[in-house]
Amino acid sequence: PNISFYVYPQIFLQRMVTDPESEGPGDPDNYGIRTKLDAVLSPSTVLRARSALNTFDPDKFEDNLRASIRLQQAIPTPIGTHKLAFEYSYRDRLFNGSLGFQTVRSSLGALFFSPNIVIGKTGLVLNYQLGYQDIRSETDRLDLLEPGQTDNLVNLGRFQSSVFLGRSFLLWQGKPLPATRDEGLNYTPRPIIPYISMNAGLRGVFSSYTSGDTQQDLIGTVGLNAQLGHFSRPFLDYTAIGLSYSQVIGSGESPFFFDRTVDNQVLSLSFFQQIYGPLRFGIQTSLNVETGDSISTDYFLEYSRRTHGIIFRYNPVLAIGSISLRISDFNWQGTADPFDGAGVSPVVGGVKRRF
Protein backbone atom coordinates (compact mmCIF):
# COMPACT_ATOMS: atom_id res chain seq x y z
CA PRO A 1 0.00 0.00 0.00
CA ASN A 2 2.97 2.38 0.37
CA ILE A 3 4.32 1.80 -3.15
CA SER A 4 2.75 2.96 -6.40
CA PHE A 5 4.11 2.30 -9.89
CA TYR A 6 2.61 3.82 -13.03
CA VAL A 7 3.25 2.92 -16.66
CA TYR A 8 2.19 5.30 -19.45
CA PRO A 9 2.45 3.96 -23.02
CA GLN A 10 3.11 6.64 -25.63
CA ILE A 11 2.24 6.85 -29.33
CA PHE A 12 3.97 9.63 -31.30
CA LEU A 13 1.32 10.38 -33.93
CA GLN A 14 3.06 13.46 -35.36
CA ARG A 15 6.28 11.51 -35.83
CA MET A 16 4.36 8.63 -37.41
CA VAL A 17 2.57 10.88 -39.92
CA THR A 18 5.03 13.67 -40.79
CA ASP A 19 8.53 12.24 -40.28
CA PRO A 20 9.87 11.23 -43.74
CA GLU A 21 11.97 8.50 -42.09
CA SER A 22 8.95 6.95 -40.37
CA GLU A 23 7.92 3.52 -41.60
CA GLY A 24 4.34 3.89 -40.39
CA PRO A 25 2.46 2.18 -37.53
CA GLY A 26 4.87 -0.76 -37.53
CA ASP A 27 7.95 1.41 -36.87
CA PRO A 28 9.13 0.95 -33.23
CA ASP A 29 10.48 4.51 -33.31
CA ASN A 30 6.88 5.77 -33.15
CA TYR A 31 6.24 4.32 -29.69
CA GLY A 32 7.57 4.94 -26.21
CA ILE A 33 6.84 4.57 -22.52
CA ARG A 34 6.95 6.62 -19.32
CA THR A 35 7.12 5.25 -15.78
CA LYS A 36 6.64 6.78 -12.34
CA LEU A 37 7.50 5.18 -9.00
CA ASP A 38 6.56 6.60 -5.60
CA ALA A 39 7.49 4.65 -2.47
CA VAL A 40 6.94 5.69 1.15
CA LEU A 41 9.76 3.84 2.91
CA SER A 42 8.96 5.32 6.34
CA PRO A 43 6.86 8.18 7.69
CA SER A 44 9.76 10.54 6.90
CA THR A 45 11.46 8.86 3.91
CA VAL A 46 10.21 8.90 0.32
CA LEU A 47 11.69 7.43 -2.85
CA ARG A 48 10.68 8.88 -6.21
CA ALA A 49 11.76 7.74 -9.66
CA ARG A 50 10.78 8.91 -13.15
CA SER A 51 11.76 7.66 -16.59
CA ALA A 52 10.80 8.33 -20.20
CA LEU A 53 11.87 6.32 -23.24
CA ASN A 54 10.79 8.09 -26.43
CA THR A 55 11.47 5.23 -28.84
CA PHE A 56 11.43 1.44 -28.97
CA ASP A 57 14.25 1.41 -31.55
CA PRO A 58 17.23 -0.15 -29.67
CA ASP A 59 19.74 1.84 -31.74
CA LYS A 60 18.28 5.12 -30.40
CA PHE A 61 17.89 4.25 -26.71
CA GLU A 62 20.90 6.29 -25.49
CA ASP A 63 19.69 9.64 -26.88
CA ASN A 64 15.99 9.09 -26.13
CA LEU A 65 16.07 7.96 -22.51
CA ARG A 66 15.53 10.35 -19.60
CA ALA A 67 15.52 9.17 -16.00
CA SER A 68 15.79 10.48 -12.45
CA ILE A 69 15.67 9.02 -8.95
CA ARG A 70 15.45 10.86 -5.62
CA LEU A 71 15.62 9.61 -2.03
CA GLN A 72 14.18 12.27 0.25
CA GLN A 73 14.38 12.41 4.05
CA ALA A 74 12.27 14.78 6.15
CA ILE A 75 14.11 16.36 9.08
CA PRO A 76 11.92 18.00 11.76
CA THR A 77 13.39 21.16 13.31
CA PRO A 78 12.00 23.85 15.64
CA ILE A 79 11.39 26.15 12.65
CA GLY A 80 9.75 23.56 10.40
CA THR A 81 10.42 20.35 8.51
CA HIS A 82 13.53 20.51 6.32
CA LYS A 83 14.29 17.98 3.58
CA LEU A 84 17.51 16.25 2.61
CA ALA A 85 17.52 14.67 -0.84
CA PHE A 86 19.98 12.51 -2.72
CA GLU A 87 19.29 12.41 -6.43
CA TYR A 88 20.62 11.21 -9.77
CA SER A 89 19.33 12.28 -13.16
CA TYR A 90 20.21 11.26 -16.71
CA ARG A 91 19.51 13.62 -19.61
CA ASP A 92 17.47 16.04 -17.48
CA ARG A 93 15.55 18.45 -19.74
CA LEU A 94 15.53 22.07 -18.53
CA PHE A 95 14.23 25.37 -19.90
CA ASN A 96 16.52 28.32 -19.13
CA GLY A 97 14.70 31.39 -20.37
CA SER A 98 16.18 33.01 -23.47
CA LEU A 99 18.73 30.20 -23.80
CA GLY A 100 15.85 27.79 -24.40
CA PHE A 101 15.97 24.05 -23.85
CA GLN A 102 19.09 22.56 -22.31
CA THR A 103 19.90 18.92 -21.55
CA VAL A 104 22.07 18.02 -18.56
CA ARG A 105 23.68 14.74 -19.56
CA SER A 106 24.03 13.53 -15.96
CA SER A 107 23.85 14.90 -12.42
CA LEU A 108 24.57 13.25 -9.06
CA GLY A 109 24.41 15.01 -5.72
CA ALA A 110 22.62 16.03 -2.52
CA LEU A 111 20.25 18.88 -1.72
CA PHE A 112 19.10 20.36 1.58
CA PHE A 113 16.15 22.72 1.49
CA SER A 114 13.88 24.43 3.98
CA PRO A 115 10.11 24.93 4.21
CA ASN A 116 8.62 28.39 3.92
CA ILE A 117 9.38 30.04 7.27
CA VAL A 118 7.19 32.94 8.43
CA ILE A 119 9.30 35.39 10.42
CA GLY A 120 7.39 36.40 13.55
CA LYS A 121 4.46 38.71 12.86
CA THR A 122 6.17 40.59 10.04
CA GLY A 123 4.53 38.56 7.28
CA LEU A 124 7.94 37.96 5.72
CA VAL A 125 8.53 34.48 4.28
CA LEU A 126 12.01 32.97 4.20
CA ASN A 127 13.26 29.84 2.47
CA TYR A 128 16.68 28.54 1.48
CA GLN A 129 18.46 25.58 -0.07
CA LEU A 130 21.99 24.20 -0.32
CA GLY A 131 23.36 21.57 -2.63
CA TYR A 132 26.37 19.93 -4.20
CA GLN A 133 26.23 18.05 -7.49
CA ASP A 134 28.63 16.41 -9.91
CA ILE A 135 27.34 17.58 -13.30
CA ARG A 136 28.12 16.69 -16.91
CA SER A 137 26.65 19.18 -19.36
CA GLU A 138 27.37 21.43 -22.35
CA THR A 139 29.77 24.37 -22.23
CA ASP A 140 31.21 26.95 -24.61
CA ARG A 141 34.46 27.20 -22.65
CA LEU A 142 37.11 25.66 -24.89
CA ASP A 143 39.70 25.75 -22.09
CA LEU A 144 37.63 23.22 -20.12
CA LEU A 145 37.57 20.64 -22.92
CA GLU A 146 40.14 17.91 -23.38
CA PRO A 147 42.49 18.08 -26.41
CA GLY A 148 40.84 16.38 -29.36
CA GLN A 149 37.44 16.19 -27.65
CA THR A 150 34.68 15.96 -30.28
CA ASP A 151 31.75 17.09 -28.12
CA ASN A 152 31.33 20.11 -25.84
CA LEU A 153 30.43 18.19 -22.66
CA VAL A 154 32.37 18.91 -19.47
CA ASN A 155 32.24 17.31 -16.03
CA LEU A 156 32.33 19.73 -13.05
CA GLY A 157 31.28 19.84 -9.43
CA ARG A 158 28.90 22.64 -8.41
CA PHE A 159 28.08 23.99 -4.96
CA GLN A 160 24.94 26.14 -4.94
CA SER A 161 23.14 28.08 -2.24
CA SER A 162 19.95 30.09 -2.56
CA VAL A 163 18.05 32.28 -0.08
CA PHE A 164 14.65 33.93 -0.67
CA LEU A 165 12.91 36.59 1.42
CA GLY A 166 9.54 38.00 0.39
CA ARG A 167 6.17 39.26 1.47
CA SER A 168 2.68 39.75 0.05
CA PHE A 169 0.54 42.80 0.87
CA LEU A 170 -3.27 42.66 0.64
CA LEU A 171 -4.33 46.11 -0.60
CA TRP A 172 -8.05 45.46 -0.90
CA GLN A 173 -10.45 42.55 -0.53
CA GLY A 174 -14.12 42.32 -1.48
CA LYS A 175 -16.80 39.96 -0.27
CA PRO A 176 -17.83 36.69 -1.91
CA LEU A 177 -21.37 35.96 -3.02
CA PRO A 178 -23.43 33.47 -1.02
CA ALA A 179 -22.33 29.85 -1.57
CA THR A 180 -25.43 28.83 -3.53
CA ARG A 181 -25.56 27.19 -6.95
CA ASP A 182 -27.21 30.25 -8.53
CA GLU A 183 -24.85 32.86 -7.05
CA GLY A 184 -21.32 32.20 -5.72
CA LEU A 185 -21.21 28.61 -7.05
CA ASN A 186 -22.71 29.29 -10.46
CA TYR A 187 -19.52 28.60 -12.46
CA THR A 188 -16.98 27.65 -9.81
CA PRO A 189 -16.74 25.09 -6.93
CA ARG A 190 -15.91 27.89 -4.44
CA PRO A 191 -17.13 31.50 -4.30
CA ILE A 192 -14.69 33.97 -5.88
CA ILE A 193 -13.28 36.63 -3.53
CA PRO A 194 -12.24 39.84 -5.34
CA TYR A 195 -8.93 41.30 -4.22
CA ILE A 196 -5.93 43.45 -5.11
CA SER A 197 -2.53 42.47 -3.73
CA MET A 198 1.12 43.36 -4.08
CA ASN A 199 4.16 41.17 -3.56
CA ALA A 200 7.88 41.82 -3.29
CA GLY A 201 10.78 39.42 -2.98
CA LEU A 202 14.55 39.21 -2.94
CA ARG A 203 16.53 36.09 -3.85
CA GLY A 204 20.28 35.61 -3.58
CA VAL A 205 21.97 32.77 -5.46
CA PHE A 206 25.65 31.76 -5.22
CA SER A 207 27.11 29.02 -7.42
CA SER A 208 30.71 27.83 -7.27
CA TYR A 209 32.25 25.35 -9.73
CA THR A 210 35.31 23.13 -9.49
CA SER A 211 36.67 24.93 -12.56
CA GLY A 212 37.19 27.98 -10.31
CA ASP A 213 34.24 29.91 -11.78
CA THR A 214 31.49 31.50 -9.72
CA GLN A 215 28.10 33.00 -10.53
CA GLN A 216 26.51 35.37 -8.01
CA ASP A 217 23.05 36.86 -8.51
CA LEU A 218 20.77 39.09 -6.47
CA ILE A 219 17.25 38.99 -7.92
CA GLY A 220 14.61 41.52 -6.89
CA THR A 221 10.97 41.04 -7.87
CA VAL A 222 7.92 43.24 -7.38
CA GLY A 223 4.42 42.39 -8.59
CA LEU A 224 0.77 43.40 -8.54
CA ASN A 225 -2.20 41.00 -8.79
CA ALA A 226 -5.91 41.76 -9.06
CA GLN A 227 -8.98 39.53 -9.24
CA LEU A 228 -12.21 41.39 -9.97
CA GLY A 229 -15.78 40.14 -10.27
CA HIS A 230 -17.45 37.03 -8.88
CA PHE A 231 -17.70 34.79 -11.97
CA SER A 232 -21.44 34.45 -11.41
CA ARG A 233 -23.21 36.62 -13.99
CA PRO A 234 -23.11 35.37 -17.60
CA PHE A 235 -21.04 38.20 -19.11
CA LEU A 236 -17.69 39.84 -18.17
CA ASP A 237 -18.04 39.06 -14.44
CA TYR A 238 -14.45 37.90 -13.94
CA THR A 239 -11.12 39.59 -14.71
CA ALA A 240 -7.72 38.63 -13.32
CA ILE A 241 -4.57 40.66 -14.02
CA GLY A 242 -0.99 39.98 -12.97
CA LEU A 243 2.08 42.15 -13.50
CA SER A 244 5.59 41.56 -12.15
CA TYR A 245 9.10 42.84 -12.85
CA SER A 246 12.38 41.14 -11.94
CA GLN A 247 15.83 42.73 -11.94
CA VAL A 248 19.07 40.74 -11.63
CA ILE A 249 22.28 42.25 -10.28
CA GLY A 250 25.11 39.79 -10.55
CA SER A 251 28.69 38.94 -11.34
CA GLY A 252 30.49 35.95 -12.80
CA GLU A 253 29.16 33.43 -15.27
CA SER A 254 28.39 29.74 -15.13
CA PRO A 255 30.57 27.57 -17.41
CA PHE A 256 27.37 25.62 -18.24
CA PHE A 257 24.44 26.73 -20.40
CA PHE A 258 21.63 25.20 -18.35
CA ASP A 259 22.07 27.43 -15.26
CA ARG A 260 23.67 30.53 -16.80
CA THR A 261 21.87 33.78 -15.98
CA VAL A 262 21.02 35.66 -19.19
CA ASP A 263 17.66 37.35 -18.54
CA ASN A 264 18.61 40.26 -16.28
CA GLN A 265 15.36 42.21 -16.68
CA VAL A 266 12.13 40.21 -16.99
CA LEU A 267 8.57 41.53 -17.26
CA SER A 268 5.81 38.99 -16.64
CA LEU A 269 2.18 39.62 -17.58
CA SER A 270 -1.01 37.61 -17.18
CA PHE A 271 -4.62 38.33 -18.13
CA PHE A 272 -7.69 36.10 -17.62
CA GLN A 273 -11.18 37.13 -18.68
CA GLN A 274 -14.65 35.61 -18.62
CA ILE A 275 -15.95 35.62 -22.19
CA TYR A 276 -19.48 34.36 -21.71
CA GLY A 277 -21.03 32.04 -19.14
CA PRO A 278 -18.58 29.31 -18.11
CA LEU A 279 -15.94 30.23 -20.73
CA ARG A 280 -12.75 32.02 -19.70
CA PHE A 281 -9.74 32.95 -21.83
CA GLY A 282 -6.25 33.70 -20.53
CA ILE A 283 -2.72 34.56 -21.61
CA GLN A 284 0.46 34.48 -19.54
CA THR A 285 3.80 35.69 -20.90
CA SER A 286 7.33 36.68 -19.86
CA LEU A 287 9.52 39.14 -21.76
CA ASN A 288 13.21 39.99 -21.72
CA VAL A 289 13.07 43.77 -21.31
CA GLU A 290 16.60 44.31 -22.68
CA THR A 291 15.99 42.51 -25.98
CA GLY A 292 12.20 42.75 -26.21
CA ASP A 293 12.00 39.01 -26.96
CA SER A 294 9.34 36.73 -25.54
CA ILE A 295 10.77 34.11 -23.17
CA SER A 296 7.64 31.98 -22.85
CA THR A 297 3.89 32.42 -23.47
CA ASP A 298 0.92 30.28 -22.41
CA TYR A 299 -2.61 30.50 -23.85
CA PHE A 300 -5.61 29.19 -21.88
CA LEU A 301 -9.24 28.40 -22.72
CA GLU A 302 -11.34 27.13 -19.82
CA TYR A 303 -14.85 25.75 -19.52
CA SER A 304 -15.73 25.94 -15.82
CA ARG A 305 -18.75 24.65 -13.91
CA ARG A 306 -19.37 24.07 -10.21
CA THR A 307 -18.83 20.30 -10.47
CA HIS A 308 -16.29 20.04 -13.28
CA GLY A 309 -14.08 21.97 -15.68
CA ILE A 310 -11.87 21.54 -18.74
CA ILE A 311 -8.76 23.65 -19.42
CA PHE A 312 -7.01 23.79 -22.80
CA ARG A 313 -3.49 25.17 -22.59
CA TYR A 314 -0.86 25.71 -25.29
CA ASN A 315 2.68 27.12 -25.19
CA PRO A 316 4.15 27.77 -28.68
CA VAL A 317 7.62 28.52 -27.26
CA LEU A 318 7.88 25.21 -25.41
CA ALA A 319 5.89 23.52 -28.22
CA ILE A 320 3.69 21.66 -25.73
CA GLY A 321 0.01 21.72 -24.90
CA SER A 322 -2.39 20.08 -22.48
CA ILE A 323 -6.02 19.26 -21.79
CA SER A 324 -6.77 19.22 -18.04
CA LEU A 325 -9.95 17.82 -16.50
CA ARG A 326 -11.17 19.03 -13.09
CA ILE A 327 -13.77 17.08 -11.11
CA SER A 328 -14.90 18.75 -7.85
CA ASP A 329 -16.22 17.21 -4.62
CA PHE A 330 -14.97 13.70 -5.38
CA ASN A 331 -11.88 11.73 -4.39
CA TRP A 332 -10.17 12.96 -7.56
CA GLN A 333 -6.48 12.06 -7.80
CA GLY A 334 -5.64 13.47 -11.22
CA THR A 335 -2.46 15.48 -11.65
CA ALA A 336 -2.62 19.19 -10.91
CA ASP A 337 0.36 19.98 -13.14
CA PRO A 338 -0.88 20.81 -16.66
CA PHE A 339 2.50 19.96 -18.23
CA ASP A 340 3.32 16.96 -16.05
CA GLY A 341 3.98 14.67 -19.00
CA ALA A 342 6.18 17.08 -20.93
CA GLY A 343 9.32 16.43 -18.89
CA VAL A 344 10.29 20.12 -18.78
CA SER A 345 11.69 21.80 -15.65
CA PRO A 346 12.22 25.58 -15.62
CA VAL A 347 15.40 27.22 -14.34
CA VAL A 348 14.88 30.55 -12.56
CA GLY A 349 17.92 32.54 -11.48
CA GLY A 350 20.14 29.52 -12.09
CA VAL A 351 18.04 27.38 -9.69
CA LYS A 352 16.05 24.43 -10.97
CA ARG A 353 12.48 24.20 -9.74
CA ARG A 354 12.17 20.90 -7.90
CA PHE A 355 9.43 18.29 -8.31
Side-chain angles (χ1 to χ4, degrees), residues 170-184:
L170 184 62
L171 304 180
W172 170 80
Q173 180 173 293
K175 295 182 179 180
L177 295 177
T180 63
R181 61 180 302 172
D182 296 325
E183 294 188 77

Side-chain angles (χ1 to χ4, degrees), residues 198-216:
M198 179 180 176
N199 60 81
L202 194 64
R203 178 178 295 277
V205 182
F206 174 77
S207 301
S208 176
Y209 306 84
T210 52
S211 61
D213 297 284
T214 60
Q215 180 174 266
Q216 306 166 74

Side-chain angles (χ1 to χ4, degrees), residues 42-334:
S42 76
S44 60
T45 307
V46 177
L47 177 69
R48 296 179 178 178
R50 307 286 187 267
S51 72
L53 181 61
N54 294 332
T55 181
F56 281 161
D57 186 341
D59 296 332
K60 300 180 179 180
F61 279 179
E62 182 178 355
D63 293 328
N64 285 274
L65 172 66
R66 302 183 190 277
S68 65
I69 183 168
R70 167 185 283 202
L71 180 65
Q72 184 170 286
Q73 176 69 44
I75 304 175
T77 70
I79 57 175
T81 300
H82 290 63
K83 294 178 181 179
L84 176 64
F86 300 93
E87 66 177 22
Y88 171 78
S89 63
Y90 176 73
R91 298 190 71 251
D92 197 10
R93 191 184 189 206
L94 307 176
F95 183 77
N96 188 13
S98 297
L99 290 179
F101 287 108
Q102 305 293 326
T103 295
V104 178
R105 179 59 62 93
S106 65
S107 173
L108 174 65
L111 298 164
F112 179 78
F113 45 102
S114 74
N116 287 329
I117 303 168
V118 179
I119 302 177
K121 299 181 180 181
T122 64
L124 291 169
V125 176
L126 170 74
N127 61 60
Y128 52 87
Q129 71 176 53
L130 303 169
Y132 182 84
Q133 295 164 299
D134 184 74
I135 299 171
R136 183 169 179 81
S137 188
E138 292 185 347
T139 184
D140 56 356
R141 291 272 302 277
L142 299 180
D143 59 302
L144 298 178
L145 302 178
E146 298 292 336
Q149 187 173 337
T150 57
D151 57 36
N152 59 348
L153 296 174
V154 64
N155 206 97
L156 297 173
R158 182 190 71 171
F159 169 79
Q160 186 176 72
S161 61
S162 172
V163 180
F164 172 80
L165 184 66
R167 182 182 174 183
S168 294
F169 303 87
L170 184 62
L171 304 180
W172 170 80
Q173 180 173 293
K175 295 182 179 180
L177 295 177
T180 63
R181 61 180 302 172
D182 296 325
E183 294 188 77
L185 305 180
N186 195 10
Y187 299 123
T188 178
R190 289 177 296 276
I192 296 292
I193 302 177
Y195 71 89
I196 299 175
S197 68
M198 179 180 176
N199 60 81
L202 194 64
R203 178 178 295 277
V205 182
F206 174 77
S207 301
S208 176
Y209 306 84
T210 52
S211 61
D213 297 284
T214 60
Q215 180 174 266
Q216 306 166 74
D217 293 321
L218 186 63
I219 308 164
T221 302
V222 60
L224 184 69
N225 295 283
Q227 180 174 263
L228 306 174
H230 295 93
F231 199 27
S232 177
R233 297 194 300 268
F235 187 65
L236 300 180
D237 191 28
Y238 179 86
T239 302
I241 300 172
L243 172 66
S244 69
Y245 173 77
S246 296
Q247 173 72 56
V248 178
I249 301 174
S251 62
E253 183 178 83
S254 169
F256 295 122
F257 286 121
F258 80 90
D259 64 346
R260 184 175 298 175
T261 303
V262 292
D263 299 308
N264 294 319
Q265 298 180 46
V266 176
L267 181 66
S268 298
L269 305 167
S270 64
F271 176 76
F272 293 83
Q273 177 66 55
Q274 178 192 20
I275 303 174
Y276 181 79
L279 289 178
R280 288 190 287 192
F281 169 79
I283 183 172
Q284 185 173 286
T285 186
S286 297
L287 305 170
N288 184 313
V289 176
E290 295 175 303
T291 64
D293 296 332
S294 173
I295 298 174
S296 182
T297 301
D298 292 306
Y299 297 95
F300 302 83
L301 182 62
E302 178 185 14
Y303 177 85
S304 179
R305 305 296 300 194
R306 177 177 58 87
T307 58
H308 63 281
I310 302 176
I311 301 176
F312 299 88
R313 181 177 179 179
Y314 177 62
N315 187 311
V317 178
L318 301 181
I320 53 178
S322 68
I323 301 175
S324 299
L325 173 65
R326 169 180 58 81
I327 300 177
S328 303
D329 300 326
F330 291 92
N331 188 19
W332 174 248
Q333 295 181 355

Side-chain angles (χ1 to χ4, degrees), residues 10-26:
Q10 294 181 305
I11 303 175
F12 302 109
L13 295 177
Q14 180 179 355
R15 184 186 301 174
M16 184 184 300
V17 174
T18 64
D19 191 341
E21 298 182 0
S22 173
E23 299 177 2

Side-chain angles (χ1 to χ4, degrees), residues 1-6 36-41 47:
N2 295 329
I3 300 176
S4 60
F5 180 66
Y6 300 86
K36 181 171 70 171
L37 171 68
D38 292 301
V40 180
L41 305 181
L47 177 69

